[in-house]
Amino acid sequence: MDSRESIHLADSYYMNTFSRFPIVFEYGKGCTLYDAEDKAYTDFLAGIAVNTLGYDHPALTGTIEEQCHKLLHCSNLFYTKSQSKLAHMLVEHSCADRVFFANSGAEANEGAIKLARMFFYKKGMHKYEIITACNSFHGRTLATLAATGQKKYHIPLSPLPSGFISVPFNDIGAIESAITDETCAIMIEPIQGEGGIIEAERKYITALHRLCEKHDILLIFDEIQTGIGRTGKLFAYEHYGIEPHILTLAKGLGGGVPIGAVLAKKEVAEAFEPGDHGTTFGGNALACSAGIAVLNTLMEEKLIEECAIKGDHFKMKLNSLKDSFPHIVKDVRGMGLMLGAQLHDGIKGGDVVKAALDMGFIINCTGDNTLRFVPPLIISIDEIDRLISVLETIFNDI
Ligand SMILES: Cc1ncc(COP(=O)(O)O)c(C=O)c1O
């Protein structure tokens, strides 16, 4: 089947939920994807912050292959070695004491929402309301859309589940005034990803943490995009010197194999008892083996430390671009290898993405006209510098 036929079939039979580029990818190696005509693209999107170890990393493919021959899946009515091991590894390396595995980010957040409500229910308290931030993104299920602080997603699907309220990000006063006797949790992304790479300020997170303690509210960190080394620490909460009660992960955890996770402190996690929550596929042997390979490789190859160093270099280069093209680049934001360059109004981010693609580089544009860079954590300084030159050429043409 050639590319035209693949595109024709998808356009004819796949639901029209994505605006796609007319490219069919066949395989990848390192940080490079190859299309059906063997054109190479250096990937600064990584399946939207998913392919932590890039493509065809022997540690990941080798582990998956081995696991395939042993066991793909058995029900959660039994134990598997890989699920037990991955749960142990995540607890060992985080502030959490217990883990539940899901299949995606939205599902992990659904689990977190249910856990927060169940925690207070089991204490005999009627606390159910969840405060989130405007411009946030927490997923596409009905409850996680209700949590997502972007009205455009709510309107066609109303009524959404109730009990969610969004207030301006980085505004502690707004959170304080939204707290009621019914508030059970505050859910926040440490860096808003889909919203345009917007970092939570340190003083905001510290104050949030204090507010949660004062009002007996759970703090949920949605680390679906920031987790698993992306910001230069294994988890982004580590940058802020606080510990959330609940933490959600997905994207980078399986390196491309779908898996999500809800991590929680023991006293919170204990609210879940048999029958309260579940999943058929979540935490299956294959997905967990991928998670183990990703975590082991991150540690063994010191990729998280490197992510911080490469991220600093990348950000410095983006800031130089901003200095050279102040009429094009408005702001540079982010941490580690989760970076964004906001463009001025009137400069079309989509055109920059398209021009980069034509020159063999995959980036994307999100939030308020912000170019987003979330490459595999194995990206090299040379690849970063080559992207910077490409952006320089594109900006010169503008
Ligand atoms: C912060 C955050 N939460 C949740 C999600 C939803 O994850 P998924 O698409 O795996 O359901 C995303 C996806 O972009 C995200 O960035």
Side-chain angles (χ1 to χ4, degrees), residues 48 104-107 109 137-139 189 194 222 224-225 250-251:
I48 318 189
S104 68
E107 234 189 86
N109 283 340
F137 187 81
H138 296 295
E189 294 162 84
E194 300 309 298
D222 176 344
I224 305 295
Q225 197 158 150
K251 288 191 182 282

Side-chain angles (χ1 to χ4, degrees), residues 187-204:
M187 181 150 118
I188 222 80
E189 294 162 84
I191 303 178
Q192 291 188 332
E194 300 309 298
I197 314 292
I198 302 175
E199 294 158 60
E201 290 163 12
R202 196 184 168 84
K203 63 175 194 291
Y204 175 68

Side-chain angles (χ1 to χ4, degrees), residues 327-329 341-356 363-371 391 394-395 398:
H327 53 294
I328 294 180
V329 182
Q342 187 181 9
L343 306 179
H344 281 287
D345 297 343
I347 308 289
K348 290 198 178 112
D351 290 350
V352 177
V353 171
K354 173 76 179 53
I363 58 174
N364 93 323
C365 184
T366 185
D368 190 9
N369 210 19
T370 298
L371 301 179
L391 290 174
I394 296 169
F395 292 166
I398 291 174

Side-chain angles (χ1 to χ4, degrees), residues 44-45 49 191-193 196-199 225-226 230-232 307-319 331-342 363-366 370-375 379 384 387-388 391:
F44 279 80
L45 185 58
I191 303 178
Q192 291 188 332
I197 314 292
I198 302 175
E199 294 158 60
Q225 197 158 150
T226 54
R230 180 142 298 280
T231 67
C307 167
I309 295 165
K310 290 183 290 196
D312 284 348
H313 173 84
F314 197 170
K315 195 169 183 181
M316 184 261 292
K317 290 275 179 169
L318 288 171
N319 272 313
D331 197 15
V332 171
R333 297 186 291 262
M335 279 192 252
L337 289 169
M338 182 171 179
L339 297 174
Q342 187 181 9
I363 58 174
N364 93 323
C365 184
T366 185
T370 298
L371 301 179
R372 170 170 51 177
F373 311 102
V374 282
I379 198 87
I384 292 169
L387 172 71
I388 294 291
L391 290 174

Side-chain angles (χ1 to χ4, degrees), residues 32-330:
T32 309
L33 274 170
Y34 296 86
D35 72 10
E37 284 71 42
D38 238 18
K39 177 174 171 183
Y41 297 82
T42 311
D43 186 9
F44 279 80
L45 185 58
I48 318 189
V50 167
N51 301 305
T52 322
L53 304 180
Y55 300 94
D56 199 20
H57 193 294
L60 181 57
T61 52
T63 304
I64 292 172
E65 194 181 342
E66 204 178 299
Q67 187 62 47
C68 279
H69 292 297
K70 286 189 190 157
L71 178 68
L72 292 175
H73 174 84
C74 76
S75 85
N76 274 314
L77 301 177
F78 300 93
Y79 296 91
T80 64
K81 279 186 187 170
S82 52
Q83 187 185 89
S84 306
K85 184 167 178 192
L86 183 59
H88 182 212
M89 286 175 87
L90 286 171
V91 165
E92 223 178 17
H93 293 286
S94 73
C95 64
D97 304 301
R98 295 283 186 276
V99 179
F100 175 85
F101 290 117
N103 304 287
S104 68
E107 234 189 86
N109 283 340
E110 283 274 344
I113 292 164
K114 284 176 71 176
L115 181 60
R117 288 187 174 179
M118 191 67 81
F119 174 68
F120 288 105
Y121 175 81
K122 295 267 168 94
K123 292 213 286 185
M125 297 166 77
H126 189 54
K127 279 161 79 98
Y128 60 91
E129 222 165 53
I130 299 192
I131 305 175
T132 66
C134 294
N135 198 44
S136 57
F137 187 81
H138 296 295
R140 297 273 189 174
T141 61
L142 289 175
T144 57
L145 273 182
T148 291
Q150 301 190 52
K151 280 276 170 286
K152 69 177 180 198
Y153 293 121
H154 297 179
I155 294 161
L157 296 169
S158 63
L160 290 176
S162 57
F164 295 88
I165 173 169
S166 305
V167 298
F169 192 45
N170 275 327
D171 180 344
I172 198 68
I175 295 251
E176 208 159 5
S177 9
I179 292 174
T180 68
D181 290 346
E182 280 78 46
T183 305
C184 73
I186 296 171
M187 181 150 118
I188 222 80
E189 294 162 84
I191 303 178
Q192 291 188 332
E194 300 309 298
I197 314 292
I198 302 175
E199 294 158 60
E201 290 163 12
R202 196 184 168 84
K203 63 175 194 291
Y204 175 68
I205 296 290
T206 312
L208 267 189
H209 188 249
R210 217 176 298 123
L211 268 186
C212 286
E213 300 281 303
K214 183 174 161 200
H215 294 276
D216 191 19
I217 291 171
L218 299 178
L219 183 57
I220 305 174
F221 262 38
D222 176 344
E223 293 226 29
I224 305 295
Q225 197 158 150
T226 54
I228 313 299
R230 180 142 298 280
T231 67
K233 302 260 187 208
L234 185 55
F235 306 107
Y237 75 78
E238 298 172 53
H239 291 287
Y240 297 94
I242 57 101
E243 294 183 352
H245 301 97
I246 304 177
L247 171 72
T248 54
L249 302 172
K251 288 191 182 282
L253 178 57
V257 177
I259 182 169
V262 186
L263 280 63
K265 294 281 192 194
K266 185 166 180 281
E267 62 277 16
V268 179
E270 277 170 353
F272 271 168
E273 293 170 287
D276 286 337
H277 193 46
T279 164
T280 298
F281 291 119
N284 84 6
L286 179 73
C288 288
S289 73
I292 293 167
V294 168
L295 286 180
N296 274 336
T297 310
L298 288 181
M299 314 281 174
E300 282 161 15
E301 298 187 5
K302 304 225 172 307
L303 288 174
I304 301 177
E305 292 87 335
E306 272 190 28
C307 167
I309 295 165
K310 290 183 290 196
D312 284 348
H313 173 84
F314 197 170
K315 195 169 183 181
M316 184 261 292
K317 290 275 179 169
L318 288 171
N319 272 313
S320 306
L321 271 184
K322 176 173 170 266
D323 293 341
S324 308
F325 299 93
H327 53 294
I328 294 180
V329 182
K330 186 173 172 185

